């Protein structure tokens, strides 16, 4: 197993992409601390290699305390995945300073301060891997996503900077930029279409691989980035979108 005996922190790991990462880390032998605002569901909470830590990641002061709980439970940190995030649609005229500050606090500020909290622990164990979850919207944009796109582009830039700053301590930092990944929210959106079957077919046609992504697709890549198999890989933004951004639109 690629992560046998490693300790991972995954923010927002109770559902969606984060859950896919947690499940794959567990498959590969890691102990996983899930840090998020809410308690874990019964299935995940009962797993002997999982610790649920409730923390408001929008509050920088809460992050070191959460990491202290990880150390108390598992003895250290080898892997950190900054997955937690929020997204809402607003036109430029609609967005408020409070909404901007909330998105920046969760999507951009929390990853920086989690990295700061875990870096000395990783250094003490000979190095580690920080994995940030960015987005193809850090490279392109959907309508009314100015704040979200800014936060994800910021994550991509931060990833490169942390790779430069922490490399001498044996810490690698990479980002995954997912495209469309199946979730409860995306299924609700598709079901709300007048013709959900046609909507799903049109969505699949945007992807050269013929399907949308699954949370465990992100988990598979995260396992690689966390493992020694990626020992010479750092400072990279890896697009994981089934080829969607590689496909040029054709005139209809």
């Amino acid at each position: 197993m690629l992560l046998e005996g490693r300790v991972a922190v995954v923010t927002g790991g109770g559902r969606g992409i984060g859950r896919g990462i947690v499940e794959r880390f567990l498959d590969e032998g890691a102990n996983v601390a899930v840090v998020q605002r809410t308690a874990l569901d019964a299935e995940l909470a009962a797993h002997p290699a999982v610790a649920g830590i409730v923390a408001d990641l929008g509050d920088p002061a809460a992050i070191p305390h959460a990491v202290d709980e990880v150390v108390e439970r598992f003895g250290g940190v080898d892997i950190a995945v900054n997955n937690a995030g929020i997204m809402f649609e607003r036109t430029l005229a609609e967005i408020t300073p409070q909404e901007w500050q909330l998105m920046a606090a969760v999507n951009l500020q929390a990853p920086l301060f989690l990295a700061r909290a875990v870096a000395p622990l990783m250094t003490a164990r000979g190095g580690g891997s920080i994995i940030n979850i960015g987005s193809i919207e850090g490279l392109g944009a959907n309508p009314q996503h100015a704040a979200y796109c800014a936060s994800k582009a910021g994550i991509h830039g931060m990833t490169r900077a942390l790779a430069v700053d922490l490399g001498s301590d044996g810490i690698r930092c990479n980002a995954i930029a997912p495209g469309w990944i199946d979730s409860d929210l995306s299924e609700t959106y598709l079901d709300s279409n007048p013709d959900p079957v046609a909507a799903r077919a049109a969505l699949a046609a945007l992807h050269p691989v013929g399907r949308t992504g699954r949370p465990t697709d992100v988990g598979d890549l995260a396992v690689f980035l966390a493992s020694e198999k990626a020992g010479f890989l750092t400072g990279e933004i890896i697009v994981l979108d089934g080829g969607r951004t590689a496909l040029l639109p054709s005139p209809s």
Side-chain angles (χ1 to χ4, degrees):
M1 292 189 284
L2 291 175
L3 304 180
E4 184 72 38
R6 304 289 182 87
V7 177
V9 179
V10 180
T11 65
R15 57 185 295 184
I17 287 174
R19 183 63 168 262
I21 294 169
V22 169
E23 289 176 356
R24 287 295 294 116
F25 279 6
L26 293 171
D27 291 343
E28 296 294 338
N31 293 306
V32 183
V34 178
V35 181
Q36 58 185 32
R37 287 184 305 161
T38 57
L40 301 179
D41 62 45
E43 179 186 1
L44 204 54
H47 197 292
V50 172
I53 298 170
V54 176
D56 178 4
L57 292 163
D59 177 7
I63 293 172
H65 296 297
V67 172
D68 286 344
E69 289 189 50
V70 179
V71 174
E72 183 177 345
R73 173 68 184 270
F74 293 128
V77 176
D78 303 292
I79 304 156
V81 181
N82 283 301
N83 166 75
I86 58 173
M87 189 274 287
F88 45 76
E89 295 183 344
R90 295 288 187 275
T91 66
L92 188 59
E94 291 171 342
I95 192 166
T96 67
Q98 293 77 17
E99 289 171 331
W100 165 263
Q101 288 159 6
L102 174 62
M103 188 169 289
V106 176
N107 292 11
L108 196 55
Q109 178 177 267
L112 180 71
F113 284 97
L114 181 65
R116 184 172 82 165
V118 300
L121 301 171
M122 291 180 174
T123 302
R125 290 160 75 95
S129 175
I130 297 172
I131 302 166
N132 295 324
I133 304 302
S135 172
I136 58 171
E137 290 208 61
L139 305 168
N142 281 315
Q144 301 182 15
H145 284 194
Y148 182 74
C149 290
S151 70
K152 291 304 182 179
I155 281 292
H156 295 175
M158 183 192 301
T159 296
R160 298 185 183 97
L162 290 176
V164 170
D165 289 348
L166 301 177
S168 61
D169 295 322
I171 300 171
R172 297 178 294 104
C173 186
N174 294 286
I176 301 172
W180 185 289
I181 305 296
D182 297 337
S183 67
D184 292 342
L185 185 62
S186 68
E187 286 302 301
T188 299
Y189 166 76
L190 290 168
D191 287 339
S192 71
N193 277 262
D195 186 344
V197 173
R200 284 180 170 81
L203 182 61
L206 295 176
H207 298 78
V209 298
R211 67 171 177 86
T212 52
R214 307 178 184 106
T216 50
D217 289 326
V218 186
D220 288 338
L221 180 53
V223 166
F224 171 71
L225 293 175
S227 76
E228 292 305 313
K229 298 289 187 182
F232 196 56
L233 183 60
T234 194
E236 292 300 316
I237 316 304
I238 302 172
V239 174
L240 185 70
D241 70 347
R244 181 178 177 183
T245 55
L247 177 64
L248 292 174
S250 300
S252 55

